[in-house]
Amino acid sequence: MNGKACFLALMGGIVLMTGCSTDSQAASRPVPQFDANTKVIALTFDDGPSSTTPLVLDKLDQYGVVASFFVCGNNVGEQTADTVKRAYDMGCEIHNHSKSHRDMTKLTEEQIRREITETSQRVEAITGEPTRFFRPPYIAVNDLMYDTVGMPFICGYGSNDWDDKVGVQERSDKVLAQIHDGSIILLHDAEGNTKTVEALDLLIPALQQDGYTLVTVSQLFEAKGVTPDTHAMYSDVAKD
């Protein structure tokens, strides 16, 4: 069953059906090879899924790498379900960027919980897995969010690639100037953000040439032997 059919089944009130995501399918998803001596880095994208996301997936497929997508629940629906399923089947992870991309420091506990839960349910309808990490909109956080969300918070090193005035080369250069082993890269697959898609042709080969293995966020914690804390926000993962 494709992503769209799985999504419609759950949103229509039908119990999640076999074929949406099975254990055998999960077991066959690509997994990067790494050990304690491998330089690892996590490539992540915010604000999708959108019509830009398949272009990002094409680049990941071209270079044989994976990434993690922090999706907005309002963007996860019938029109984008197949894109989410494609990303998942490629070995990518789908995580939580809230439902509506509001400043969640201004929300009540119940509103925060709804933003997280509805997004996770929409993702699970397609992949069979709930979201496990959270990136706060605008990287704005407060104690109530840490107490309510129930997932580790992820930030990362970016290049202001949400700003169309930032050129393709600059997007890659700014990231490369900041990152190191164990870093998380923060980019955006928002609607129309084709400059970031182009920048991947510079960024990914540069990372590979420098000896990095690109992994998902959960794989980054695994590689570094770190258990993520739900009351912390990470741009790097390193064993103390």
Side-chain angles (χ1 to χ4, degrees), residues 13 16 32 34 55 60 99 105 113 123 145 184 218:
L16 196 63
F34 55 84
L55 304 178
L60 300 181
K99 183 173 184 284
T105 64
R113 207 176 297 279
V123 170
M145 290 172 64
I184 297 165
S218 66

Side-chain angles (χ1 to χ4, degrees), residues 117-129:
T117 300
E118 292 186 17
T119 300
S120 190
Q121 288 174 340
R122 284 171 174 256
V123 170
E124 188 172 8
I126 298 165
T127 68
E129 293 185 16

Side-chain angles (χ1 to χ4, degrees), residues 17 19 21 31 36 40 51 61 64 69 85 87 93-94 100 106 143 148-149 151 155 174 179 187 210 214 219 232:
M17 295 181 287
S21 181
V31 177
V40 288
S51 65
D61 191 44
F69 292 86
K85 186 64 162 56
E93 291 179 351
I94 315 299
S100 62
K106 296 177 169 58
D143 288 342
T148 305
V149 169
M151 290 183 282
C155 185
K174 282 187 172 181
I179 52 90
L187 297 173
D210 201 26
L214 277 71
Q219 290 163 354

Side-chain angles (χ1 to χ4, degrees), residues 106-121:
K106 296 177 169 58
L107 302 185
T108 66
E109 178 180 347
E110 178 57 33
Q111 288 172 322
I112 293 170
R113 207 176 297 279
R114 190 179 305 120
E115 287 277 333
I116 299 302
T117 300
E118 292 186 17
T119 300
S120 190
Q121 288 174 340

